[in-house]
Amino acid sequence: MSVLMQSLMMKSSKEAVQSAAREFLNFVNRGVSPYHVVEECKRRLLEAGFIELKEAEKWDIRPSSKYFVTRNYSSLIAFAVGGCYLPGNGFSMIGAHTDSPCLRVKPRSKRTKQGCLQVGVECYGGGIWNTWFDRDLTIAGRVMVKRDGKLVHQLVHVPRPLLRIPNLAIHLQKDVNDSFGPNKENHLVPVLATAVQEELETGSSSSVGDAVFASTTAEKHHPALLKVLCSELNVASEALLDFELCLADTQPAALGGVFEEFIYSPRLDNLHSCFCALQALMDSCSGDSLDKDPNIRMITLYDNEEVGSESAQGAQSNLTELILSRLASSSGNLTAFQQAAPLSFMISADMAHAVHPNYQEKHEENHRPSFHKGPVIKFNSNQRYATTAVTASIVREVASRVGVPLQDVMVRNDSPCGTTIGPILAARLGVPVLDIGAPQLSMHSIREMCCTSSILQSTTLFKGFFEHFPSVRSSLVVD
């Protein structure tokens, strides 16, 4: 091959990597809360020809057709029915989660200290909370509104900086660079405004009192905060019933590094996996492979993974089992769902820890995933991950067919191991599961970091899984 041809191929490859990465930036910048993630997924699925279903309605599912359903508007399941699907055939599934560690507005958030209007927040998940200091923050989430006699939910995202958690100056804490451990209740309270400015702007001040004896939504929060919400939603303050609001960084995700090979972004864990699974499902339906598929291709995007998945919309709920049994049901085959389980497969996609150049000793010496070298298969004999030799072999075969490199990770014996939705779904459904994720740094920081190539690599692998799993499964000789 000539040098010119090699140069052209490298340029083409980089353009494909950058294009996929930039599309992910659009996705993550819109996914400022689990509700916005589902909203963005829904928008893309509808554009791709998927049909929305409702859990409470009767379904008429047809071969070679595409559907999706949401629960709580924070979890989503989308699926494409193979043209050769019959009840009892398998499900080819990829699971991920829509939530990320963040601060969330308390039900009674009104606080005032030293002439500052503050917003009480609750820690959601296991964030690196010191990274939330000195960031330009805003609010995003879901608001329940009473409109025309109906209780409806509306999404809200204020695009400008509203809140900030200021650090204490080093002059007042000389040891801050040796140990910084803020009290999560007292020190993680963002400032909304000053009472003086509020009085100048509105002619009155809400700085007197707190929300201890509040009986209405208007009394539970600072009027200045509610005014912003009402303005964004175009509703009167009396219409506000309740809300679930996340704090979010206003700095958008971006490509970085001298060669623009990195993604600097909030919520990589786990919107990276959500995006790649979603894109792979849609891409896999663009050709004729779906018409020949005996399986149902599916992505399951759950809420509440960061807090244990034990909710109506989490991976520990009955959501997945209800959907699968519903799709497998047949009057002519009463054991179709039971037959489908061993023929199915779930990829649990959640981010992996890349080796840190400044902390390489934190990784087991033979398991140090790097950027650009492919998705990382996660192993743990104590079942913190669900990967087995069988499930790993299946994904390795798929990866070899689509030309995607893979890496392995296992934590040190003297290190704790995180977990995922993988073991939960393996136990609940009885299906083979593999845990895998793209390598990243700064996991659970307000700004995380991964490589641009991981988007295209993961999407390619997941698309290959949807297209090749049935044939790989047919070659498997186990049990």
Side-chain angles (χ1 to χ4, degrees), residues 50-112:
F50 282 69
I51 300 168
E52 183 173 11
L53 304 172
K54 301 293 183 183
E55 275 195 273
E57 297 175 355
K58 185 178 180 180
W59 295 356
D60 181 20
I61 303 301
R62 299 179 182 278
S64 300
S65 298
K66 305 173 292 186
Y67 308 90
F68 72 93
V69 62
T70 65
R71 179 182 281 189
N72 191 51
Y73 217 71
S74 61
S75 293
L76 178 145
I77 291 182
F79 56 94
V81 184
C84 298
Y85 176 76
L86 295 173
N89 289 5
F91 296 90
S92 309
M93 299 176 285
I94 300 176
H97 63 89
T98 60
D99 62 321
S100 302
C102 66
L103 300 174
R104 299 195 172 190
V105 177
K106 289 184 174 180
R108 295 167 181 253
S109 72
K110 184 180 178 182
R111 286 194 182 190
T112 308

Side-chain angles (χ1 to χ4, degrees), residues 203-314:
S204 62
S205 175
S206 64
S207 61
V208 179
D210 50 32
V212 174
F213 300 107
S215 59
T216 66
T217 300
E219 295 172 338
K220 296 176 184 178
H221 310 278
H222 282 296
L225 177 64
L226 297 181
K227 184 178 179 181
V228 172
L229 288 176
C230 291
S231 176
E232 289 289 325
L233 296 169
N234 194 27
V235 298
S237 61
E238 309 84 65
L240 297 180
L241 299 175
D242 227 317
F243 45 67
E244 295 167 292
L245 297 176
C246 306
L247 270 60
D249 195 347
T250 56
Q251 182 180 355
L255 301 187
V258 68
F259 303 115
E260 290 196 323
E261 63 179 302
F262 302 125
I263 295 174
Y264 305 149
S265 171
R267 303 178 296 279
L268 286 178
D269 177 16
N270 192 29
L271 298 197
H272 184 296
S273 302
C274 289
F275 173 80
C276 294
L278 176 71
Q279 194 64 46
L281 178 63
M282 294 189 299
D283 289 349
S284 76
C285 298
S286 61
D288 63 352
S289 68
L290 182 64
D291 293 334
K292 304 172 184 175
D293 198 336
N295 281 14
I296 291 180
R297 303 172 182 181
M298 179 178 290
I299 61 170
T300 58
L301 311 181
Y302 305 97
D303 195 4
N304 301 132
E305 188 276 343
E306 295 292 357
V307 292
S309 297
E310 197 168 359
S311 68
Q313 56 277 354

Side-chain angles (χ1 to χ4, degrees), residues 10 99 134 224 436 448:
M10 288 179 64
D99 62 321
D134 296 334
I436 197 168
E448 300 173 317

Side-chain angles (χ1 to χ4, degrees), residues 153-460:
H153 86 146
Q154 289 184 240
L155 302 193
V156 65
H157 173 213
V158 181
R160 63 185 178 91
L162 294 179
L163 301 161
R164 191 176 175 93
I165 306 171
N167 253 307
L168 181 65
I170 192 171
H171 313 77
L172 303 178
Q173 49 172 349
K174 294 293 186 181
D175 63 345
V176 64
N177 288 323
D178 298 321
S179 60
F180 179 56
N183 180 285
K184 293 194 286 283
E185 181 63 27
N186 299 328
H187 302 151
L188 274 174
V189 188
V191 175
L192 176 70
T194 62
V196 169
Q197 190 65 32
E198 181 189 40
E199 192 165 1
L200 286 172
E201 297 278 349
T202 66
S204 62
S205 175
S206 64
S207 61
V208 179
D210 50 32
V212 174
F213 300 107
S215 59
T216 66
T217 300
E219 295 172 338
K220 296 176 184 178
H221 310 278
H222 282 296
L225 177 64
L226 297 181
K227 184 178 179 181
V228 172
L229 288 176
C230 291
S231 176
E232 289 289 325
L233 296 169
N234 194 27
V235 298
S237 61
E238 309 84 65
L240 297 180
L241 299 175
D242 227 317
F243 45 67
E244 295 167 292
L245 297 176
C246 306
L247 270 60
D249 195 347
T250 56
Q251 182 180 355
L255 301 187
V258 68
F259 303 115
E260 290 196 323
E261 63 179 302
F262 302 125
I263 295 174
Y264 305 149
S265 171
R267 303 178 296 279
L268 286 178
D269 177 16
N270 192 29
L271 298 197
H272 184 296
S273 302
C274 289
F275 173 80
C276 294
L278 176 71
Q279 194 64 46
L281 178 63
M282 294 189 299
D283 289 349
S284 76
C285 298
S286 61
D288 63 352
S289 68
L290 182 64
D291 293 334
K292 304 172 184 175
D293 198 336
N295 281 14
I296 291 180
R297 303 172 182 181
M298 179 178 290
I299 61 170
T300 58
L301 311 181
Y302 305 97
D303 195 4
N304 301 132
E305 188 276 343
E306 295 292 357
V307 292
S309 297
E310 197 168 359
S311 68
Q313 56 277 354
Q316 290 212 52
S317 73
N318 64 357
L319 175 61
T320 319
E321 187 174 352
L322 286 179
I323 300 297
L324 297 186
S325 60
R326 191 168 185 169
L327 295 176
S329 66
S330 167
S331 58
N333 184 355
L334 299 181
T335 60
F337 176 64
Q338 290 82 353
Q339 291 174 235
L343 298 175
S344 300
F345 195 97
M346 167 72 80
I347 289 179
S348 165
D350 205 345
M351 302 299 278
H353 298 292
V355 65
H356 197 303
N358 301 337
Y359 301 91
Q360 63 179 23
E361 70 280 0
K362 293 295 184 179
H363 273 73
E364 203 278 335
E365 61 182 341
N366 288 322
H367 299 85
R368 291 176 172 171
S370 301
F371 285 153
H372 302 306
K373 294 186 178 179
V376 184
I377 299 178
K378 305 176 182 181
F379 294 86
N380 185 267
S381 301
N382 297 300
Q383 300 304 301
R384 300 293 285 173
Y385 302 131
T387 307
T388 67
V390 174
T391 60
S393 298
I394 289 172
V395 171
R396 291 191 202 283
E397 175 61 23
V398 170
S400 70
R401 293 189 185 189
V402 295
V404 174
L406 296 174
Q407 305 182 76
D408 303 324
V409 75
M410 177 178 278
V411 300
R412 293 166 54 97
N413 285 321
D414 56 2
S415 173
C417 181
T419 191
T420 68
I421 61 174
I424 295 170
L425 293 167
R428 274 202 68 91
L429 302 175
V431 302
V433 176
L434 172 124
D435 272 293
I436 197 168
Q440 75 159 95
L441 294 172
S442 306
M443 188 179 290
H444 288 195
S445 170
I446 195 170
R447 298 283 292 181
E448 300 173 317
M449 175 180 176
C450 70
C451 58
T452 53
S453 59
S454 63
I455 299 291
L456 187 58
Q457 287 174 336
S458 297
T459 304
T460 302

